[in-house]
Amino acid sequence: IRAKMVIELKAIFSETEVRSKLRWKYEEGIKRPYFHVKPLERGQLKNWQDYLDFMKVEMAKEGGDLTEVEIIYERCLIACALYEEFWMDYVSWWESRKDLEESERQSRIRGIFERAGHKHLPTKVDLHTRWAAWEEKVGESGEASRILQQLELAHPGLVNVLLKRVNLERRRGRIEEACKLYEAAIAAAKTATASDLAVKYSRFLRLSLNDGAKAGEVLQAAVDAESSNAKLYL
């Protein structure tokens, strides 16, 4: 019995040893496994990314365990909590998984976004715009609108966020709300930015609402405010 147990344990030990040696160089490269507000060195960030890429390839092979990839991601996000690229990479990995029910996958992805967006990176633009796009994709347009609205409060006057809000409302069929957003932004913006928004708003009125008269009024008001801007005449 003892000999049989030793043989079985040696087989397990050998397999574990091989797997440990494969990843040991990445483990040795981890110098700060805990969270700290001080930025990580570039080499540390690269080591984490290489480790994740390696594990995704290894665990995708026959007999691989995707739970091990999840564990490495969670360890990585302790040290790299302030780096949005790792959070978004984690989301992409969950999106690519085909071994889960759709409801479970959505729950996990939403949890990642909430952890990143509410706790660690509440003002990061790329993360929140992707979160909003994902919520809209899964049918939660109201939540997508809320996320973009909060992001705009954090970055007032950021045209990119405004346009995403406008386009979201347009896709939701809330054209009146989209017009209000444009008009409020034009009224609050500085002259040059207001002129650029006026051009976009007039195009929106003409193409989406077929309202050429109002589009002309918007451009005329912009010309009155900044008569030297050639874009308005074009």
Side-chain angles (χ1 to χ4, degrees), residues 131-151:
W131 183 7
W134 180 82
E135 291 286 2
E136 183 185 6
K137 180 181 176 182
V138 298
E140 297 293 339
S141 296
E143 179 64 11
S145 180
R146 185 197 64 78
I147 292 166
L148 290 177
Q149 185 175 1
Q150 291 298 315
L151 184 61

Side-chain angles (χ1 to χ4, degrees), residues 22-23 25-26 45-61 66 68-69 72-73 76 85-86 89-90 92-93:
L22 283 173
R23 64 177 78 179
K25 66 175 182 178
Y26 301 110
L45 296 174
K46 185 178 186 305
N47 183 68
W48 277 115
Q49 190 60 64
D50 290 344
Y51 197 179
L52 290 167
D53 292 342
F54 167 78
M55 289 297 291
K56 283 187 282 189
V57 171
E58 284 296 310
M59 295 301 111
K61 296 176 181 177
L66 292 177
E68 293 197 29
V69 182
I72 298 301
Y73 265 114
C76 168
E85 59 268 29
F86 288 100
D89 189 49
Y90 196 18
S92 297
W93 180 71

